[in-house]
Amino acid sequence: MSVDLDKYFARIGWDGGRAPTLDTLRSLQHAHVLGIPFENIDVVVGTVPSLDLSDLEAKLVAGSRGGYCFEQNTLFADVLEQLGYGVTRYTGRVRVGARPGEIRPRTHLVLGIEVPGGIEAPGGGPQGSGGRYLVDVGFGSTDALLEPLPMFPGLVREGRGRRHRLVLEEADGPAPVWVLQAARSEDAWTELVAFTLDAAPLPDIGVANWHVSTHPRSPFRRLFVQRTHVDGHLALDGTTLTRTARDGTVTVEQVDGPEALRELLESEFGITPPPGVRPER
């Protein structure tokens, strides 16, 4: 089964051309991030999110719901494959908040996308007969990618007000480690996720999804909901709601009680939550 493209495009409010070009990829990625919120409500209420495409379509496309990285990027990968892009799935280790030297499990999914016809080289022009971009519609935060990032180490790219780069690390094993970084200021780079270019088969992605949603120390056992808007960003962490305006202004407030939570999810995140969702500190 594949996702119904017409229904998906209607869900994210997108009506562009369907040729597998870089412009199409850029437009689609941005529309997806704006159109479908990041959330882990199923995990909080005790359910392992399904990665079956029919279930993803019912939840993220037909339903008023969002999802986390495994759901979002699995859905987006199918859409891109239908349009004619080459897609490679990579599992990565989230570096945000990690202690120096800490090795976290591979609990994040990112996509390597082959764009037919050329890639933007560091000098500005097309190079070769094809090119690979890093795409991720499932990170959710104010540092997340809003556009495809050319997979050239050290190349700094600004997309819709956010600056990113990929750097290569020396590795103990044979595979070099790619690290996605975001610039929070002119010279301060924050590491987001580290990955290798070993393709992740679907069974391995399923195991990582199960681990994240069931392990007692998984950070996703508490409520995380995020939504990116053209003029800012909303983030709910437990009972704390953070609003980040486009100019960087941040305001913080607390959500008091299950009724306030449900109203917030519906009115500001566009989510109709299932029964049993309660704010937990």
Side-chain angles (χ1 to χ4, degrees):
M1 171 197 170
S2 290
V3 173
D4 186 306
L5 291 182
D6 290 332
K7 292 179 180 178
Y8 169 77
F9 295 148
R11 168 71 164 113
I12 65 174
W14 187 84
D15 61 357
R18 301 191 183 188
T21 65
L22 178 56
D23 285 342
T24 299
L25 181 60
R26 281 180 174 146
S27 179
L28 269 178
Q29 180 173 348
H30 189 234
H32 181 112
V33 173
L34 295 183
I36 303 180
F38 177 99
E39 51 111 325
N40 67 329
I41 294 174
D42 283 354
V43 177
V44 173
V45 299
T47 302
V48 176
S50 172
L51 300 184
D52 184 86
L53 286 173
S54 62
D55 293 331
L56 292 175
E57 183 175 59
K59 180 183 176 183
L60 278 69
V61 177
S64 298
R65 292 290 304 277
Y68 63 3
C69 70
F70 294 112
E71 299 169 279
Q72 300 258 16
N73 283 321
T74 296
L75 174 72
F76 199 54
D78 178 76
V79 169
L80 295 182
E81 286 173 332
Q82 288 192 65
L83 292 177
Y85 296 93
V87 179
T88 306
R89 297 156 179 83
Y90 308 124
T91 52
R93 309 179 194 277
V94 174
R95 291 275 183 92
V96 178
R99 299 183 301 274
E102 179 183 4
I103 299 177
R104 290 174 168 176
R106 294 176 181 263
T107 57
H108 188 63
L109 179 65
V110 297
L111 306 174
I113 307 301
E114 296 286 342
V115 178
I119 188 170
E120 293 183 20
Q127 174 174 302
S129 60
R132 180 177 297 176
Y133 289 76
L134 181 70
V135 168
D136 184 0
V137 296
F139 204 78
S141 76
T142 55
D143 291 323
L145 287 171
L146 296 180
E147 289 193 346
L149 181 64
M151 293 187 70
F152 286 105
L155 176 65
V156 178
R157 294 302 302 268
E158 182 168 345
R160 303 184 188 271
R162 300 181 182 184
R163 296 171 67 233
H164 293 88
R165 70 183 182 186
L166 286 163
V167 299
L168 285 179
E169 287 184 349
E170 293 293 333
D172 293 335
V177 176
W178 293 68
V179 182
L180 174 63
Q181 299 180 337
R184 292 185 175 175
S185 64
E186 187 64 29
D187 298 314
W189 290 91
T190 297
E191 295 185 345
L192 303 183
V193 61
F195 61 96
T196 62
L197 299 187
D198 302 312
L202 295 180
D204 289 355
I205 295 171
V207 169
N209 178 55
W210 177 84
H211 171 87
V212 165
S213 59
T214 62
H215 195 283
R217 291 198 298 273
S218 170
F220 287 104
R221 301 297 295 273
R222 66 184 278 135
L223 186 63
F224 286 104
V225 187
Q226 304 199 58
R227 181 125 205 193
T228 300
H229 298 284
V230 173
D231 57 353
H233 184 269
L234 292 174
L236 179 65
D237 179 353
T239 62
T240 302
L241 176 67
T242 301
R243 303 178 187 272
T244 304
R246 188 176 181 86
D247 65 2
T249 302
V250 175
T251 58
V252 179
E253 58 192 81
Q254 295 297 315
V255 180
D256 185 17
E259 290 305 317
L261 173 62
R262 179 171 290 274
E263 180 180 350
L264 173 69
L265 291 174
E266 291 178 347
S267 64
E268 299 210 45
F269 289 96
I271 293 172
T272 301
V277 180
R278 302 180 62 85
E280 296 182 4
R281 298 184 186 277

